[in-house]
Amino acid sequence: MAWHIRWETSQFERAEFYPGKRQSFSEPVIPTKEQLSWLNVDWNSILERSQLHMNLLEPFIAFRRVLLQILRCNECMTEHLLQSASTLRKGSRFSQSTAFLHEFKLASAGTGKQYSTLYWLGRLEEAKLLRAQGQHEMAISLAKYISQNCHSNEESSDVYRLVGKWLAETRSSNSRTILENYLKPAVSVAEAHHINNKKSIERQSQAHFHLAHYADALFKSCEERLTSSEWQAAMRLRKHKAAELEALVKQLRSSTKGEKNDYSAKILELQKQLAMDKEEAEKLKGDRDYFLCLALEGYKRCLVIGDKYDVRVVFRLVSLWFSLSSRQNVINNMLNTVDEAQSYKFVPLVYQIASRMGSSKDSLGPHNFQFALASLVKKMAIDHPYHTIFQLLALANGDRIKDKQRSRNSFVVDMDKITAAKRLLEELASYHGAIIGQVFSNIDVHFIIFIIFFVLLIFSWKSSHLLLM
């Protein structure tokens, strides 16, 4: 009750904290964690607004620590020590962060809950601090120890993700181990313990993004190797070996008994080398396709679950779609992403996406790249007409130029784009017919004004030129 009387001026106060009749107590009252909730809201607001400007933030950290000590709220004090250690680490105050972590350990031991979730969070923060100080091997070893002993289902996803991320950055383990033992389990744990709150959604987004990002890097590495000059030289050597093997087989048939042993030994050696080369090529291509599928699925889940990585994911995902538009698995991922993800996330790239529209007559199958692309543009146009219809009308009017200029090389008209845009506008008429008509009328008016202005400009130039003569 004394707490309510003393701190009733807070902007986050709640009416139920203040009963009509106040009583006085002879003994000090220790506030509960629920009663301190508005103070925590104030503190989170200060952290957000300070943006890690440590010269401004350090006095607030010290004041809050003293305040919680006076109030004797041990639970809040322990959480504050851990949060302050994390904030100081992010602000590159490593010595102060270490001191707060040491005090946090002492406070955790005093509560008697040595292996609680908060304890393991403190050990994880210790690993992050070691890594920030450049002690990568110690940080990874500590994080591995936490992953093996921490049985908190909520936080183990972050532990797996961080270990996989650090191993990938330091290249301390092979790619299969990182994927199968850390990054994929991080996703599985995050999905299995899904709760509809902000922290759980952010945890899932982080797990999916780091898995997709690492798989994408492995895919690019495989692609670079398959297109490298060394790989092309190995392919030419393989063809030469195959031709040599064929020639030896022909010679074996017409050889004498004494020569057959030599030919047989050479043939066996070449067959073994060709088999190994073929196995290596198939494994590399299989790994490439596997990493691509992981990356596409992870990026899709990032867009569906949250919005933290939207810009990075959308740009990379659209780049993969455009560069690998002939692969059916990429088209299938594109269709699934269009169905599940929010269309507003693709609006920043609406011009680039719409410009790839064209004819689907050269594509195979009903679900081809142009079909998937048209589905995405249609969904964007239905949900966000004023961001999309202008691009479609620009494509549909691509042939509105003077007859004298049609033969010039500077005006190249792609009739496939025009046809595709007009067909899509006809489909959209049932959704936004009034908007399309309004925008089309405005375009006609502006086009006429431009022609008139252009004619007047030419006439003015010719008149001034005649006067000078």
Side-chain angles (χ1 to χ4, degrees):
M1 190 63 63
W3 173 258
H4 305 325
I5 295 173
R6 185 178 180 87
W7 301 102
E8 61 182 3
T9 57
S10 170
Q11 59 176 324
F12 295 104
E13 67 181 14
R14 292 186 291 184
E16 61 266 22
F17 286 167
Y18 307 101
K21 185 178 180 180
R22 294 172 179 170
Q23 303 175 7
S24 60
F25 297 90
S26 59
E27 297 180 359
V29 178
I30 298 176
T32 63
K33 189 174 180 181
E34 289 74 18
Q35 290 171 322
L36 286 172
S37 60
W38 64 262
L39 188 62
N40 293 331
V41 173
D42 280 340
W43 176 242
N44 291 331
S45 177
I46 291 172
L47 287 177
E48 184 178 353
R49 284 180 291 177
S50 64
Q51 297 181 352
L52 293 180
H53 290 155
M54 300 310 298
N55 292 332
L56 298 174
L57 195 55
E58 283 180 8
F60 285 99
I61 293 175
F63 172 76
R64 178 176 167 83
R65 176 187 175 187
V66 173
L67 176 63
L68 293 174
Q69 282 179 341
I70 294 173
L71 294 173
R72 299 178 183 177
C73 185
N74 295 329
E75 186 179 0
C76 292
M77 183 64 181
T78 307
E79 293 178 359
H80 170 69
L81 291 172
L82 179 59
Q83 187 183 35
S84 298
S86 176
T87 303
L88 291 166
R89 170 183 57 81
K90 293 175 183 177
S92 300
R93 301 290 201 273
F94 298 140
S95 59
Q96 293 170 299
S97 178
T98 304
F100 269 83
L101 269 180
H102 178 69
E103 192 170 350
F104 166 80
K105 289 180 181 179
L106 295 177
S108 299
T111 59
K113 301 178 181 178
Q114 189 173 0
Y115 296 103
S116 62
T117 300
L118 198 61
Y119 167 80
W120 290 114
L121 287 175
R123 299 305 306 271
L124 184 60
E125 181 59 36
E126 184 180 350
K128 292 179 182 179
L129 179 60
L130 288 171
R131 182 176 177 273
Q133 293 174 321
Q135 302 179 43
H136 300 289
E137 293 184 3
M138 292 181 63
I140 292 173
S141 298
L142 179 55
K144 285 182 177 180
Y145 169 78
I146 297 170
S147 66
Q148 294 168 1
N149 294 274
C150 176
H151 302 294
S152 173
N153 293 327
E154 296 178 0
E155 309 299 336
S156 55
S157 173
D158 290 337
V159 178
Y160 283 122
R161 176 180 58 81
L162 286 174
V163 174
K165 177 186 174 183
W166 295 347
L167 287 173
E169 290 177 354
T170 57
R171 298 184 180 181
S172 305
S173 184
N174 63 71
S175 58
R176 287 287 178 177
T177 301
I178 295 173
L179 283 175
E180 301 298 332
N181 294 352
Y182 298 105
L183 293 180
K184 290 178 75 174
V187 171
S188 301
V189 173
E191 291 282 354
H193 299 90
H194 170 60
I195 306 173
N196 238 351
N197 58 37
K198 183 179 179 181
K199 190 173 182 180
S200 177
I201 291 173
E202 183 177 353
R203 183 179 291 117
Q204 289 184 73
S205 297
Q206 284 182 323
H208 280 290
F209 176 77
H210 283 99
L211 173 61
H213 184 68
Y214 184 62
D216 190 11
L218 294 175
F219 165 73
K220 286 189 285 188
S221 177
C222 292
E223 282 282 277
E224 290 173 358
R225 185 179 176 188
L226 287 171
T227 56
S228 64
S229 58
E230 292 84 1
W231 185 262
Q232 300 301 323
M235 292 292 292
R236 290 192 295 270
L237 180 60
R238 191 179 308 167
K239 290 181 180 179
H240 177 73
K241 288 180 180 179
E244 184 180 356
L245 177 63
E246 186 178 352
L248 286 174
V249 170
K250 291 181 180 178
Q251 293 177 6
L252 178 64
R253 295 170 183 171
S254 59
S255 62
T256 61
K257 290 184 179 180
E259 296 174 339
K260 282 185 178 181
N261 292 332
D262 295 336
Y263 283 129
S264 298
K266 292 180 180 179
I267 289 172
L268 286 174
E269 182 64 26
L270 282 175
Q271 286 177 340
K272 186 184 297 184
Q273 293 178 8
L274 287 171
M276 292 174 61
D277 293 341
K278 184 180 179 181
E279 183 180 355
E280 181 187 5
E282 290 177 352
K283 184 179 183 302
L284 184 59
K285 291 178 181 178
D287 289 343
R288 177 197 62 184
D289 295 339
Y290 173 69
F291 296 145
L292 176 62
C293 290
L294 272 183
L296 291 174
E297 183 64 23
Y299 285 144
K300 184 196 79 171
R301 293 298 299 162
C302 276
L303 293 180
V304 173
I305 293 172
D307 54 4
K308 183 177 181 180
Y309 302 99
D310 281 355
V311 175
R312 296 175 64 181
V313 169
V314 164
F315 274 77
R316 180 54 186 161
L317 197 55
V318 171
S319 175
L320 287 172
W321 288 348
F322 286 174
S323 60
L324 305 171
S325 58
S326 60
R327 300 189 184 184
Q328 190 59 45
N329 60 337
V330 176
I331 296 171
N332 294 336
N333 172 267
M334 188 176 179
L335 289 169
N336 293 333
T337 305
V338 170
D339 291 338
E340 299 179 28
Q342 296 290 330
S343 60
Y344 75 88
K345 299 185 177 186
F346 295 93
V347 167
L349 291 175
V350 63
Y351 181 82
Q352 289 83 354
I353 293 172
S355 66
R356 294 296 294 263
M357 293 179 62
S359 174
S360 59
K361 60 185 179 181
D362 297 329
S363 304
L364 299 176
H367 289 175
N368 50 56
F369 174 71
Q370 286 299 326
F371 174 82
L373 191 67
S375 301
L376 176 57
V377 177
K378 183 178 179 179
K379 186 175 182 179
M380 285 194 293
I382 293 173
D383 297 341
H384 312 282
Y386 289 105
H387 293 83
T388 311
I389 288 176
F390 286 98
Q391 280 75 19
L392 292 176
L393 287 172
L395 291 174
N397 292 299
D399 58 343
R400 291 185 66 176
I401 55 178
K402 291 185 176 181
D403 294 335
K404 295 180 181 179
Q405 296 175 333
R406 287 184 180 273
S407 60
R408 297 186 179 183
N409 293 330
S410 57
F411 292 95
V412 179
V413 178
D414 191 338
M415 295 306 299
D416 291 337
K417 293 184 185 294
I418 295 172
T419 304
K422 287 181 177 180
R423 187 187 305 116
L424 188 54
L425 285 171
E426 291 175 0
E427 296 179 12
L428 293 171
S430 58
Y431 297 93
H432 300 295
I435 296 176
I436 294 173
Q438 179 186 3
V439 175
F440 194 78
S441 300
N442 291 335
I443 290 174
D444 283 341
V445 170
H446 282 85
F447 187 76
I448 293 171
I449 292 173
F450 170 75
I451 295 297
I452 294 173
F453 178 77
F454 184 74
V455 171
L456 290 175
L457 186 66
I458 295 296
F459 179 76
S460 174
W461 181 82
K462 288 185 177 180
S463 299
S464 60
H465 186 69
L466 290 174
L467 289 173
L468 290 174
M469 293 179 62

